[in-house]
């Protein structure tokens, strides 16, 4: 069964987890579009990790390498 997402968080370079913003303003679906805005990053490579947790406490993660 498809379970609605309960939270989406991100962190940069292993820092503090921060909440991402659902595009429609609500986390109420098994799939969600979302946005995030980082603070200004210093020059060089950065690692952005995103984690979604659903209401059944299942998780999905993704990592983005940014320059």
């Amino acid at each position: 069964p498809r379970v609605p997402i309960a939270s989406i968080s991100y962190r940069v370079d292993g820092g503090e987890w921060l909440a991402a913003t659902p595009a429609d303003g609500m986390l109420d679906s098994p799939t969600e579009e979302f946005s995030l805005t980082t603070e200004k990053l210093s020059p060089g490579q950065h690692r952005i990790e995103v984690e979604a947790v659903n209401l059944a406490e299942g998780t999905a993660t993704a990592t983005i390498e940014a320059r």
Side-chain angles (χ1 to χ4, degrees):
R2 295 171 48 106
V3 180
I5 295 171
S7 67
I8 303 172
S9 302
Y10 71 97
R11 66 182 178 178
V12 178
D13 297 331
E16 178 182 352
W17 286 100
L18 303 168
T21 305
D24 65 0
M26 295 181 64
L27 292 171
D28 58 357
S29 174
T31 60
E32 294 283 350
E33 291 186 24
F34 65 93
S35 64
L36 58 89
T37 303
T38 67
E39 294 182 10
K40 185 174 181 177
L41 300 176
S42 61
Q45 188 164 340
H46 297 278
R47 180 183 186 101
I48 301 170
E49 297 170 86
V50 178
E51 179 180 72
V53 180
N54 67 21
L55 291 175
E57 298 184 10
T59 62
T61 59
T63 301
I64 302 162
E65 299 289 336
R67 293 180 187 218

